[in-house]
């Protein structure tokens, strides 16, 4: 990353990461910390929905494949909650098939990123959305 710390992004808002893979959690936490953002981690879809309601995140990074329900269902539930329906949600997936990306964007996702996420791509995405 060329410019690690980004004062524009370091606004005090937390980033909620809903990700079940511990390695991905660790990598996201490190990259966000370098940028200057605090990350809250949820390992399950239900934990993520509860945390989103409790912490008022500035942005949500949402894994597409979670054990309890898939990311698109979590996205639908987030968009139905008045206080969360305008929070940017970045869907994160290892695979995007066919029209899946467009379907996610049409369903209310702010962006769709493919794993592994390059730190600079993540920083640029966050800068654009926050």
């Amino acid at each position: 990353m060329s410019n690690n710390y980004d004062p524009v992004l370091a606004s005090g808002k937390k980033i909620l990461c809903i990700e079940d893979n511990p390695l991905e959690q660790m990598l996201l936490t490190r990259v966000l910390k370098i940028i200057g953002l605090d990350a809250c981690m949820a390992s399950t879809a239900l934990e993520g929905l509860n945390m989103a309601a409790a912490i008022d995140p500035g942005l949500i990074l949402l894994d597409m494949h979670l054990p309890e329900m898939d990311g698109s269902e979590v996205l639908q539930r987030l968009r139905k909650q008045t206080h969360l329906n305008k929070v940017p949600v970045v869907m994160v997936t290892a695979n995007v098939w066919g029209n899946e990306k467009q379907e996610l964007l049409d369903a209310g996702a702010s962006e769709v990123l493919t794993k592994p996420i390059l730190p600079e791509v993540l920083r640029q995405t966050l800068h654009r959305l926050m």
Side-chain angles (χ1 to χ4, degrees), residues 20-34:
D20 62 321
N21 182 311
L23 179 59
E24 291 289 334
Q25 288 179 352
M26 182 188 69
L27 292 172
L28 285 170
T29 299
R30 284 186 180 173
V31 170
L32 291 169
K33 187 174 188 96
I34 289 168

Side-chain angles (χ1 to χ4, degrees), residues 6-8 16 26 34-35 38 41-43 45 59 62 64 72 75 107 121 126 128:
D6 191 329
V8 173
L16 173 59
M26 182 188 69
I34 289 168
I35 294 170
D38 289 326
M41 289 292 162
S43 298
L59 184 135
L62 175 56
M64 189 61 198
S72 57
L75 177 64
V121 170
L126 295 175
R128 185 171 38 84

